[in-house]
Amino acid sequence: MKSMEQTITTARISLDAMPLHRDVRLPVDYSGRLIAESVLRRLFTENDVPTQGCAVGAEMFDGGRRWRIALDTDLRWSDGNPLRAEDVVEAADHALTSRSNSAALFLGDTAAGNDVPVRALRADTVEFRFGRPVAFAPALLSLPAFAPLRRGPDGVGAPALGDYTVADWDTDAVVLDRRPELRHADALDSLRFEHVPLAAEAVRLFRSGELDATSPTGFGVAEVTELTAHPGAVRQPVDIFGSLDLGRRAPRPWLRSAAARRGVSAVLDRARLETVTAGLAEPWRWPSIEALGEGAPDAIPSEEGAQPEEGAQRRAGEVGPIEIAYSAFDPNAEIAEEVAAQLRAALGAEVVTRQLSFDAYVKASATRDFCLLYSLTTPAFSHPAGSLSDWRSTGRAARRSGLADPVLDAALDAAESCPEPGEAARLWARASDRWCALLPKIPLVRVRAWYLRGRRLSGLTVSRAGLMCLGAG
């Protein structure tokens, strides 16, 4: 621990948007996830290694309907209390009552049947009961929603199990203090996440030494072009995907016909999207293909014997005007404008774009009151189920899109219940194939994170999920 005479060291990191709310266990946006990663100690890591996080073991019963999780009860909260199974029960109850999508999707049926979905068996053991077989529970339980919870003041001052506690949270910044017992000579004492909405301003502050790092998202084409050779610049792909969502005002033929949606997808040149964003996005068709391996179709002809472009034009008919809405962050405008130009040329229809404030974008996403929406999404957790399970008929994604497909439901049932990795990969590929055949939304790109890091955060990296990992430096 540092002596009183030593200077408190604070790293300053930019956020291109403040978190939408202060519940770090239920982050609904990227900024919220960055804060949660530093404050929480999840049951399992994103790579699903049971010996990491605060769980030290996992045992499956009843074909995956029950899981018993052993906890590291040597861990202590920032208020000095030891970790106990009741803290995990409290977190699960909070997730269900707060309408966490993943908690409702996997535990909701159990709770609705008047069974207790999560209970403490001993001080160091907690049991999860699912409404259907869940062979991938360690991956599911890596979500922030299931991180152990001790009640405290909302946002600021709540006991923490991670390295940092929330010391301050206002309209422009979130300050995290390292727990005193974890401080040492090489550690940062504090992290200050500051709202810097303009990427150019974040670059200026970094160059002047007022920021130690920038958010992994938020840079535009101008900044990337300027920073390509900068020694502090880091670029890497992350599992954040850009897609076209179809809302209530989308052309009727596209909403009624999966073949029409596939035809529209086939006319889009995704390599151009990489070009117009200066590499901030890379071409992408099926979000789960990398996790699933071989099997997801690369392109599906729109009609038997017809070229996809011909099928799209034939089915498009009088579909204009088409509006593509997008949130006011870089490089969304470049992507939306390029997609609009391609659809205009391919369909001969009027296609326009409209920029939305972030609040308006979130509202549109919830109400589906749009024609087409360019949106960014990330898998709920790092397993194929994190992308696909929400598309079963009872999932929120399926309900919002009006999708109810018994074939996909059956494919998900088979995949979710299979504990053998090789066979499970084949079954998940089958479920992915079915999702691709239905194509309820049109995947376009995968994001490449660009960020700046200075000397004090030279060990900072970004995980595949796009979360910051503070290494030594």
Side-chain angles (χ1 to χ4, degrees):
M1 184 180 297
K2 298 189 178 183
S3 69
M4 295 295 291
E5 290 76 21
Q6 287 179 294
T7 303
I8 300 297
T9 57
T10 299
R12 299 172 63 183
I13 303 168
S14 68
L15 293 176
D16 50 10
M18 287 293 287
L20 286 177
H21 61 68
R22 298 189 178 191
D23 190 338
V24 294
R25 282 171 178 76
L26 302 174
V28 296
D29 56 2
Y30 183 72
S31 296
R33 293 174 66 228
L34 289 183
I35 306 302
E37 190 68 5
S38 296
V39 174
L40 302 179
R41 187 183 291 269
R42 295 172 290 160
L43 289 172
F44 297 96
T45 68
E46 66 181 66
N47 295 319
D48 313 326
V49 181
T51 55
Q52 299 180 15
C54 58
V56 294
E59 190 173 5
M60 184 176 75
F61 299 90
D62 296 345
R65 286 181 173 84
R66 290 190 298 127
W67 281 81
R68 289 181 182 171
I69 309 300
L71 304 174
D72 181 359
T73 52
D74 289 335
L75 293 172
R76 289 190 174 271
W77 293 86
S78 56
D79 62 6
N81 284 289
L83 172 65
R84 291 291 182 262
E86 287 80 2
D87 301 328
V88 179
V89 175
E90 181 80 4
D93 289 344
H94 172 67
L96 282 167
T97 57
S98 301
R99 304 181 68 182
S100 158
N101 186 43
S102 294
L105 184 63
F106 293 102
L107 295 172
D109 290 344
T110 306
N114 296 320
D115 200 355
V116 178
V118 185
R119 61 176 182 164
L121 299 184
R122 295 184 298 274
D124 64 349
T125 306
V126 64
E127 182 175 82
F128 284 80
R129 296 185 176 189
F130 300 103
R132 59 181 186 274
V134 175
F136 49 90
L140 170 64
L141 298 181
S142 70
L143 284 169
F146 300 112
L149 168 65
R150 280 183 65 83
R151 296 289 183 178
D154 290 341
V156 178
L161 202 59
D163 290 350
Y164 292 87
T165 60
V166 180
D168 191 28
W169 191 318
D170 58 31
T171 56
D172 295 312
V174 180
V175 179
L176 308 180
D177 283 351
R178 185 180 288 272
R179 294 166 53 177
E181 69 272 24
L182 300 178
R183 293 179 184 174
H184 54 84
D186 298 325
L188 291 164
D189 300 315
S190 179
L191 302 176
R192 179 180 171 87
F193 291 89
E194 303 180 14
H195 183 208
V196 184
L198 298 179
E201 178 65 5
V203 173
R204 186 192 70 78
L205 292 171
F206 181 85
R207 288 187 182 277
S208 68
E210 297 176 70
L211 285 177
D212 294 289
T214 64
S215 170
T217 62
F219 278 179
V221 173
E223 290 74 33
V224 167
T225 303
E226 174 191 352
L227 297 169
T228 298
H230 192 287
V234 183
R235 178 182 74 168
Q236 69 180 75
V238 293
D239 284 353
I240 302 174
F241 302 95
S243 305
L244 276 184
D245 285 359
L246 283 71
R248 296 194 308 236
R249 291 186 275 121
R252 294 295 102 188
W254 298 8
L255 292 176
R256 286 195 300 263
S257 168
R261 297 190 291 274
R262 294 196 300 270
V264 172
S265 176
V267 304
L268 295 173
D269 179 359
R270 290 160 174 83
R272 279 287 303 160
L273 301 179
E274 181 174 27
T275 300
V276 300
T277 61
L280 281 165
E282 61 183 19
W284 199 258
R285 278 192 169 86
W286 317 125
S288 55
I289 191 170
E290 198 166 71
L292 300 171
E294 298 290 336
D298 187 54
I300 303 175
S302 54
E303 289 184 2
E304 189 68 30
Q307 294 298 312
E309 294 83 355
E310 297 174 0
Q313 291 173 332
R314 198 159 44 242
R315 270 186 296 275
E318 296 297 326
V319 297
I322 298 169
E323 180 184 85
I324 304 174
Y326 61 93
S327 65
F329 290 108
D330 293 326
N332 293 352
E334 286 86 350
I335 292 175
E337 291 292 349
E338 176 62 26
V339 171
Q342 292 188 25
L343 290 180
R344 207 177 290 127
L347 306 178
E350 180 184 355
V351 186
V352 297
T353 63
R354 180 163 65 100
Q355 185 183 88
L356 303 176
S357 69
F358 187 51
D359 287 346
Y361 162 77
V362 172
K363 181 178 180 181
S365 298
T367 63
R368 314 301 293 173
D369 186 21
F370 57 84
C371 178
L372 301 180
L373 182 72
Y374 174 70
S375 63
L376 291 175
T377 57
T378 188
F381 48 92
S382 57
H383 184 277
S387 296
L388 294 173
S389 287
D390 201 27
W391 289 98
R392 71 164 56 244
S393 299
T394 54
R396 184 179 298 175
R399 296 197 311 272
R400 284 181 172 177
S401 299
L403 176 69
D405 182 64
V407 176
L408 178 59
D409 288 349
L412 289 171
D413 283 341
E416 289 182 349
S417 62
C418 182
E420 197 283 310
E423 177 63 9
R426 185 185 70 81
L427 294 172
W428 282 111
R430 180 184 296 174
S432 179
D433 287 351
R434 184 60 183 176
W435 187 92
C436 294
L438 298 169
L439 207 67
K441 63 193 297 184
I442 300 172
L444 298 175
V445 295
R446 182 186 184 189
V447 169
R448 283 198 186 105
W450 271 81
Y451 60 99
L452 294 168
R453 63 184 180 193
R455 180 186 57 79
R456 287 204 297 175
L457 291 180
S458 60
L460 183 148
T461 59
V462 170
S463 71
R464 174 178 154 180
L467 300 176
M468 285 183 165
C469 308
L470 295 171

